[in-house]
Amino acid sequence: METFQKMHRNDHANDGVPAVQSITSVVVDLPPSCMDFSPVNSEYFIVGTYSLNSNEPKGSEPQERSGSLILYRREGEKLSVISTIATSYAVLHLKFSDHRHSRFAVATSVGTVEMYDLNLETGGKMVHVKSFRLCDPTILVLFLAWAPFMTPELTLGVSLSNGQVGILSFGPGQQTLRLVQAHSLEAWTLAWSLVTDGDRKGNLYSGGDDSTFCEHRKGLIPSVILEEDEGADDSFYDPLNRDRKTHGAGITAILPTSSVQDGGEIVLTGSYDEYIRVVVFLSSSKRLNVLAEIRLGGGVWRLKALHNTAPNGNGVIHFDVVASCMHAGARILDVRRSTEGSWSIEVLAKFVEHESMNYASDARYGFTGDEEGDFTVISTSFYDKKLCMWKFKEALTG
């Protein structure tokens, strides 16, 4: 197909890429697993930690895990701990709400989602609000994503270590949860479509350790609905689109873009196979097409967009992404669509001071004292329990 003929592939993306030096670094008490900046004040960010306790489990009891939630503040070139909550569970993921900006959700190692409010007016206090039991406590909640669209209830997408993905909706006095068996192994990640109209509005994407990439209809409605006499059971689920051939290992990161091609949304994926890819499910073929891919030298665990640009007069789309690449450290990427419609990915900078797994990175723009074009990046590493701050200057000509 023409799409594949134009595909940009680069197995030597890190050659000659400048390495950025840290401004400061701190050591965390427990291994950091995730982080997110406050949307109210980006001087503040929360780090979640994960510790596997050394005690041997008894019988069929699950391995005990613990963790913490740590609120940091960036003050110039200094990172200060403002408050800490020790937790009886490990923190797999955390994310602030897109609509209620003081609220953040936490994915736990005991099958729950915990809700907290961050009150910066009282000096940075994290207040527990509510707990939602999703599954058996032996199952881990691996990832969560707030729905980007407004609804009367707050809505979260969730993915679990048993391969299920689900939608949790809750409001005053009510709660609904729908779970489906989307993957045969751990469902590492999921993301909501950013398309705001048409059939794909409200769709979900998920990726699993089974190397499968799925697109799910709004509400997780199956693509094929079996009647009772056709052998339907609770375990049967058929998503809108499914691909098992594109990724060479488990899918660990999904970043939708809102750009549409032939009825399908352009999506970035990261995988244990060390590649980041630009992919799309084309409506005409129902196949997952790869439009660009590069190898980053480490498993691509997380992808976060620094900003997006709408198509200019020539149809060019450009945005920067920070990638957490496990044992290879962090990367800053330029992803763009050319005037001719072909996609490319370029590594602009790398951060390699981490001495173990980089599972979390995030960046913010426009801090007081920063120069124009400066992004401040916070990245973490797991076993050496390190938190690093560094800067990247965007090319303002993009």
Side-chain angles (χ1 to χ4, degrees):
M1 291 180 62
E2 182 180 5
T3 302
F4 286 102
Q5 292 173 357
K6 289 184 176 181
M7 185 187 78
H8 172 79
R9 176 167 181 157
N10 186 353
D11 288 336
H12 306 282
N14 296 294
D15 294 353
V17 173
V20 182
Q21 304 299 310
S22 62
I23 300 170
T24 189
S25 64
V26 296
V27 176
V28 186
D29 289 340
L30 295 173
S33 56
C34 53
M35 65 164 293
D36 200 24
F37 276 97
S38 164
V40 176
N41 184 339
S42 57
E43 289 183 351
Y44 294 86
F45 61 92
I46 296 175
V47 173
T49 68
Y50 178 112
S51 178
L52 189 64
N53 297 344
S54 58
N55 296 334
E56 287 292 327
K58 298 178 181 179
S60 59
E61 293 181 2
Q63 179 77 59
E64 290 185 1
R65 300 173 176 88
S66 59
S68 60
L69 297 166
I70 309 170
L71 176 65
Y72 282 89
R73 183 178 183 182
R74 186 243 187 180
E75 301 174 279
E77 297 186 353
K78 182 181 177 182
L79 297 177
S80 303
V81 175
I82 303 301
S83 60
T84 301
I85 295 177
T87 60
S88 59
Y89 49 79
V91 178
L92 279 300
H93 191 223
L94 68 89
K95 186 64 181 175
F96 277 95
S97 168
D98 295 319
H99 304 297
R100 188 181 296 181
H101 290 162
S102 63
R103 176 69 50 88
F104 66 96
V106 175
T108 80
S109 61
V110 293
T112 65
V113 169
E114 306 294 332
M115 293 292 167
Y116 289 83
D117 281 340
L118 173 61
N119 192 336
L120 295 178
E121 295 178 356
T122 59
K125 188 175 182 180
M126 295 178 284
V127 180
H128 185 260
V129 177
K130 191 172 178 61
S131 178
F132 296 96
R133 165 65 59 191
L134 305 188
C135 51
D136 185 271
T138 60
I139 298 170
L140 284 65
V141 182
L142 297 177
F143 198 88
L144 44 80
W146 292 94
F149 47 84
M150 289 290 290
T151 61
E153 304 84 22
L154 292 174
T155 301
L156 272 173
V158 294
S159 67
L160 310 180
S161 61
N162 65 355
Q164 290 184 319
V165 299
I167 297 176
L168 171 67
S169 298
F170 54 95
Q174 61 179 350
Q175 171 186 334
T176 61
L177 172 66
R178 174 168 169 75
L179 291 170
V180 297
Q181 194 68 47
H183 299 273
S184 60
L185 298 171
E186 291 91 340
W188 289 121
T189 188
L190 83 165
W192 295 90
S193 169
L194 297 182
V195 175
T196 57
D197 54 20
D199 294 340
R200 278 186 158 82
K201 181 180 180 180
N203 283 6
L204 267 174
Y205 304 100
S206 67
D209 207 51
D210 53 2
S211 306
T212 300
F213 180 72
C214 294
E215 181 179 10
H216 310 273
R217 291 184 189 275
K218 182 178 181 180
L220 297 175
I221 298 171
S223 180
V224 177
I225 300 176
L226 298 181
E227 301 296 335
E228 290 186 10
D229 58 359
E230 293 183 277
D233 59 52
D234 291 339
S235 65
F236 178 85
Y237 173 72
D238 189 31
L240 175 64
N241 290 307
R242 178 188 281 128
D243 174 85
R244 297 187 177 97
K245 298 179 179 180
T246 299
H247 300 82
I251 299 163
T252 47
I254 298 173
L255 182 62
T257 70
S258 77
S259 297
V260 176
Q261 178 174 323
D262 188 27
E265 183 176 15
I266 303 294
V267 177
L268 274 63
T269 65
S271 171
Y272 279 135
D273 67 8
E274 302 188 354
Y275 281 89
I276 176 177
R277 295 174 173 90
V278 180
V279 301
V280 61
F281 274 118
L282 298 180
S283 298
S284 58
S285 65
K286 305 286 284 186
R287 292 179 56 193
L288 189 67
N289 281 10
V290 180
L291 306 180
E293 61 179 11
I294 61 171
R295 188 176 183 181
L296 295 181
V300 185
W301 183 251
R302 290 287 180 262
L303 297 169
K304 285 204 172 186
L306 304 187
H307 71 87
N308 292 295
T309 62
N312 62 20
N314 295 321
V316 173
I317 298 174
H318 150 247
F319 50 96
D320 291 333
V321 173
V322 57
S324 301
C325 298
M326 300 180 73
H327 66 269
R331 301 288 187 272
I332 300 293
L333 312 172
D334 176 276
V335 182
R336 67 176 60 223
R337 186 186 71 184
S338 69
T339 304
E340 295 77 22
S342 61
W343 287 84
S344 64
I345 310 168
E346 180 185 359
V347 181
L348 301 180
K350 60 185 178 182
F351 183 81
V352 293
E353 292 182 19
H354 291 300
E355 297 176 5
S356 69
M357 297 295 194
N358 169 219
Y359 284 134
S361 307
D362 203 354
R364 286 297 181 269
Y365 173 79
F367 282 106
T368 302
D370 286 353
E371 297 179 1
E372 186 178 12
D374 276 354
F375 280 97
T376 297
V377 185
I378 306 293
S379 57
T380 71
S381 43
F382 192 77
Y383 297 109
D384 55 348
K385 298 180 285 189
K386 204 171 185 180
L387 206 68
C388 295
M389 180 168 67
W390 43 286
K391 287 186 179 182
F392 162 73
K393 183 176 288 293
E394 182 195 20
L396 298 176
T397 58

